[in-house]
Amino acid sequence: MSAPSPAAGTSGEVTVDLPTPVRALAVAAHPDDIEFGCGATLAKWAAAGCEVHHLVCTDGSKGTWDPHQDLPDLVLQRQAEQRSAAKALGATAEVVFLGWPDGELDSGLRQRWQIAYWIRRLRPTVVLGHDPWKRYRLHPDHRHAGFLTVDGVVAARDPHFFPEQQIVHHRPEALLLFEADERNHVEAVSEADVARKLAALEAHDSQMRSTMHVELDTPEAEAQLAAFRQRVRNRLADHGAVAGLPLGEAFAAITDL
Ligand SMILES: [Zn+2]
């Protein structure tokens, strides 16, 4: 007799719901990645009193299909959108932009230094980020941002890494990797959390066309927006099903930090 095989895309045992963290820090490559990856979870935690911080590694300056777009304007717009998105999730804490050029993010020591600095400064109980080990991932920024999150946690937790920062080291209790290849943890989310995730995603006006496939100010916009919302909801249902829940966000959780 063999053991029952785990659901596809999971690594066997699946845990549900961490205790609400005191502070959470979500790290992503671009404005909007955090909302896609863990927006409903952050909304749930923010509503329960968690201090939610956002850190975006790049300036988002490649995020348009318009070859004539003024890029410095786009960067400013995307920062404003990210702040609105954080607010829509109920997050009231820091929104940090590292400002590396979009599409050119590296996971080198300089960038790792920055992530470690912000982890030490903000002292999150839980850190969230892209899964750097996701197979067949095309976008290099997502891969590098994932490695930076993992490597930043390691550097932040031990006192002899980057001592010139002169900030006391900090060890988070958990790391949740979104878009995960091997999901072993689900955060259950409610309809209210889904509504806040959607509001946060829809704060990214500049991405409506290229990412959400919604042509604003056209007769089709309403139907396209409904289809986008349905796609997001379907994904939350798929993720919830990993743990037998109606709606959720699934992660690879690392709790031995
Ligand atoms: Zn992205």
Side-chain angles (χ1 to χ4, degrees):
M1 282 267 289
S2 59
S5 46
T10 71
S11 49
E13 253 178 74
V14 177
T15 55
V16 175
D17 285 355
L18 295 176
T20 302
V22 177
R23 286 175 298 276
L25 170 64
V27 177
H30 310 106
D32 85 12
D33 290 333
I34 290 171
E35 291 70 44
F36 276 112
C38 58
T41 299
L42 296 181
K44 174 176 78 167
W45 288 346
C50 173
E51 195 180 295
V52 173
H53 300 275
H54 287 62
L55 188 153
V56 177
C57 295
T58 74
D59 62 8
S61 56
K62 304 280 197 300
T64 180
W65 286 353
D66 177 1
H68 307 297
Q69 167 87 48
D70 181 283
L71 295 183
D73 271 1
L74 178 64
V75 170
L76 291 177
Q77 183 184 353
R78 298 201 70 185
Q79 290 188 352
E81 289 169 353
Q82 186 62 63
R83 291 194 183 93
S84 299
K87 211 172 281 176
L89 291 181
T92 51
E94 297 270 354
V95 181
V96 178
F97 300 96
L98 299 185
W100 292 96
D102 193 348
E104 299 169 22
L105 185 63
D106 198 3
S107 42
L109 269 182
R110 281 197 300 166
Q111 295 83 358
R112 189 191 307 172
W113 192 101
Q114 294 180 306
I115 304 290
Y117 168 85
W118 283 104
I119 292 173
R120 287 172 169 179
R121 179 154 160 194
L122 300 173
R123 315 192 68 71
T125 321
V126 176
V127 174
L128 307 97
H130 299 273
D131 178 358
W133 297 289
K134 182 183 171 69
R135 278 167 284 193
Y136 313 120
R137 182 196 278 293
L138 291 187
H139 204 307
D141 288 349
H142 293 172
R143 199 162 58 237
H144 285 295
F147 279 120
L148 284 173
T149 309
V150 173
D151 298 349
V153 165
V154 172
R157 73 185 182 187
D158 292 327
H160 295 292
F161 285 77
F162 307 130
E164 71 283 6
Q165 290 183 347
Q166 299 194 334
I167 310 179
V168 70
H169 56 283
H170 174 71
R171 185 186 296 262
E173 289 173 15
L175 173 60
L176 295 186
L177 300 174
F178 48 78
E179 305 152 355
D181 222 17
E182 296 278 347
R183 300 172 295 181
N184 65 355
H185 179 79
V186 176
E187 286 293 325
V189 301
S190 68
E191 289 294 342
D193 304 325
V194 176
R196 282 191 285 263
K197 176 182 175 107
L198 286 170
L201 283 165
E202 290 166 29
H204 293 279
D205 265 354
S206 66
Q207 303 308 294
M208 277 293 168
R209 183 170 177 230
S210 57
T211 304
M212 285 65 161
H213 307 301
V214 177
E215 296 280 358
L216 292 173
D217 306 318
T218 68
E220 292 76 32
E222 206 169 315
Q224 291 167 338
L225 192 55
F228 167 69
R229 289 172 180 160
Q230 192 59 50
R231 288 196 297 277
V232 171
R233 170 171 286 279
N234 291 348
R235 181 170 298 191
L236 292 168
D238 286 349
H239 280 212
V242 170
L245 298 165
L247 294 166
E249 283 177 336
F251 302 92
I254 303 175
T255 51
D256 184 16
L257 298 178

